[in-house]
Amino acid sequence: MEFKDYYAVLGVERDATQDEIKRAYRRLARKYHPDVSQEADADARFKQLGEAYEVLKDPEKRLAYDQVGQGQRAGEDFRPPPDWDAGFEFRGGGYTQEGYSQEQHAAFSDFFESLFGQRRGSGQGFAGSSGDPGGMRYRARGEDHHAKVSIALEDAYRGAVRTLTLQSGELDEQGRLRPRQRTLKVRIPKGVKQGQRIRLAGQGEPGMGGGPAGDLYLEIEFESHRRYQVEGRDVTLTLPVAPWEAALGATIAVPLPEGSVELKVPADSQDGRRLRLKGRGIPGEPPGDCYVALKIVLPPATNDDVKTAYRQLEAVANFNPRATAEGRS
């Protein structure tokens, strides 16, 4: 997938004001509109303009795009990191309807979809009230917001209270983009899963005309961990074992997010064998399981004693690993 330079598409500088972006889009949209343009690539250019404007007109999307695309050039191979948007706060988040129509999705590129395609919008709530001397006065519920946040897997096992900082974009008095941050204290419930959403009532967009504020939805993502992999409530870890522990059997302390637990490794265990610790995954009803994948690690032959031991094992074991593999195939 190629990186798209939306500023180049609209022909504006990266520090362009919102008015400059709007004027550039309107001028080019008139030029390349398929109904009036004689350019051979008018339809494709018009779609590119719409996609670029969809991002750059929105301070939140624009800030996220600027940060994930730092140092990237148009046409370069690009893959956004899985957690690139963690900590960004976006409008929408009620998860009640798609943020874009099917026609819009069809026009947007894979690049756009990889960054913003899963965003969802939320409907506005309106309720009439009397008392306005000029006629009917409307109260509008504030729009919901959403953000993806990364937490430690240990928090899902125990529950926690964490202080999280969210960032979004806003425009200054000159219409230039600037970052905005806010800090929230959030209770992480025990047993929360990857992808689960936590609702913070009233922490979204303020209402209008005395209407209630929207809500903030936090989508949970686990921080990458060198030891654990998570699927649903199940947790998998790779456990290094010595050859004699795998061959003769052993009882080994396994480090889990909730604390160490004793695991009995059966004799004659092969590399890659998976052992199950029932109920030792993420808590819940029912709780997940923990799967331990054995990885046999050979001691290095760095001295004469170890080399002699290997030669003695070779002599007494009469073992050909390639013959064993052929026999299983």
Side-chain angles (χ1 to χ4, degrees):
M1 182 171 60
E2 294 183 351
F3 180 81
K4 290 187 176 295
D5 188 339
Y6 290 140
Y7 292 98
V9 170
L10 293 180
V12 297
E13 298 295 328
R14 298 187 71 86
D15 62 348
T17 67
Q18 210 68 3
D19 285 341
E20 289 170 340
I21 290 172
K22 184 184 296 184
R23 286 196 298 269
Y25 170 72
R26 288 178 174 176
R27 174 176 56 83
L28 293 172
R30 285 194 298 268
K31 178 179 179 180
Y32 291 104
H33 196 288
D35 292 343
V36 298
S37 178
Q38 301 300 314
E39 302 285 342
D41 60 345
D43 186 62
R45 290 290 297 272
F46 188 74
K47 290 180 178 179
Q48 291 175 5
L49 291 169
E51 179 177 319
Y53 188 57
E54 177 66 32
V55 173
L56 299 187
K57 74 177 182 180
D58 185 320
E60 297 159 356
K61 290 192 187 76
R62 184 180 173 185
L63 180 71
Y65 167 77
D66 285 352
Q67 295 202 21
V68 75
Q70 284 183 352
Q72 294 285 337
R73 295 183 179 180
E76 288 183 340
D77 185 60
F78 176 78
R79 289 292 183 275
D83 58 348
W84 75 270
D85 55 348
F88 281 102
E89 183 176 350
F90 296 92
R91 290 184 179 88
Y95 298 89
T96 56
Q97 62 185 22
E98 291 292 343
Y100 309 106
S101 67
Q102 291 183 350
E103 291 78 10
Q104 284 176 305
H105 272 299
F108 293 153
S109 67
D110 291 342
F111 173 80
F112 178 94
E113 292 289 329
S114 71
L115 297 179
F116 305 110
Q118 299 304 314
R119 302 294 170 209
R120 296 180 183 265
S122 64
Q124 294 284 348
F126 295 92
S129 63
S130 59
D132 184 359
M136 183 67 74
R137 179 171 177 264
Y138 288 96
R139 299 173 64 245
R141 179 184 182 276
E143 189 174 10
D144 292 334
H145 285 195
H146 77 275
K148 184 183 292 183
V149 295
S150 295
I151 66 169
L153 179 59
E154 289 79 359
D155 291 343
Y157 270 78
R158 305 184 183 99
V161 175
R162 293 286 179 259
T163 299
L164 305 177
T165 299
L166 303 180
Q167 59 176 327
S168 61
E170 64 179 8
L171 301 176
D172 63 15
E173 293 78 5
Q174 287 75 42
R176 297 190 185 279
L177 181 69
R178 66 183 181 189
R180 179 185 66 190
Q181 290 186 340
R182 67 163 168 162
T183 301
L184 298 169
K185 184 170 287 188
V186 179
R187 188 181 74 83
I188 307 298
K190 179 179 179 179
V192 69
K193 295 193 302 181
Q194 176 109 340
Q196 186 172 333
R197 293 183 290 272
I198 299 175
R199 173 176 171 262
L200 301 182
Q203 292 294 332
E205 196 79 12
M208 296 179 62
D215 300 330
L216 171 63
Y217 291 83
L218 300 180
E219 182 181 345
I220 295 298
E221 185 174 82
F222 292 133
E223 297 169 355
S224 60
H225 201 289
R226 62 181 179 84
R227 179 179 293 153
Y228 308 113
Q229 293 81 44
V230 181
E231 183 174 349
R233 293 194 185 278
D234 294 336
V235 176
T236 299
L237 75 150
T238 299
L239 181 68
V241 295
W244 48 87
E245 291 174 324
L248 304 177
T251 299
I252 302 176
V254 178
L256 298 182
E258 62 179 347
S260 181
V261 63
E262 296 292 310
L263 172 69
K264 184 176 181 180
V265 177
D268 292 325
S269 290
Q270 298 296 316
D271 187 71
R273 182 173 184 175
R274 284 166 57 89
L275 304 174
R276 177 187 177 207
L277 292 170
K278 185 177 180 180
R280 293 289 188 171
I282 295 176
E285 295 295 336
D289 299 326
C290 178
Y291 293 91
V292 180
L294 302 182
K295 180 181 180 181
I296 299 176
V297 181
L298 298 177
T302 53
N303 59 63
D304 292 338
D305 290 340
V306 176
K307 293 177 182 178
T308 299
Y310 272 128
R311 294 190 183 100
Q312 291 174 343
L313 179 61
E314 178 187 16
V316 300
N318 191 27
F319 175 67
N320 185 341
R322 289 164 296 283
T324 301
E326 292 170 359
R328 291 198 301 266
S329 62

